[in-house]
Amino acid sequence: GENTKVAIRNIRKEANEDIKKLQKDGLPEDMAKDGEDRVQKLTDKFIAEVDKHLAVKEQEIMTV
């Protein structure tokens, strides 16, 4: 649950740090921004999946 979300956010942070390093090495700003946007969309998607699975598990526990 929460640990998975923290892991996902850590991956986002590392990806964004990698993008910043690439930018220092000459990656154009618009490409860096596009990369950060993609990373954020993936982060949101995976966190939503975690929330969905947690909700299903909570329902299963409540109905037992």
Side-chain angles (χ1 to χ4, degrees):
E2 209 51 47
N3 288 342
T4 304
K5 290 183 192 180
V6 170
I8 292 167
R9 289 188 188 105
N10 284 339
I11 293 166
R12 175 187 60 195
K13 183 179 172 212
E14 289 175 22
N16 284 334
E17 287 171 359
D18 288 343
I19 291 168
K20 295 269 186 262
K21 286 176 193 165
L22 289 170
Q23 213 174 349
K24 284 180 185 169
D25 291 339
L27 182 72
E29 189 173 338
D30 61 332
M31 290 179 77
K33 182 81 178 108
D34 184 49
E36 289 172 355
D37 289 345
R38 287 179 174 192
V39 168
Q40 187 59 52
K41 284 180 181 149
L42 284 170
T43 301
D44 293 342
K45 177 183 171 190
F46 284 116
I47 287 181
E49 286 291 316
V50 169
D51 286 340
K52 189 172 82 175
H53 289 292
L54 284 176
V56 169
K57 287 291 175 197
E58 285 175 9
Q59 281 298 85
E60 289 174 0
I61 290 166
M62 297 296 189
T63 56
V64 170

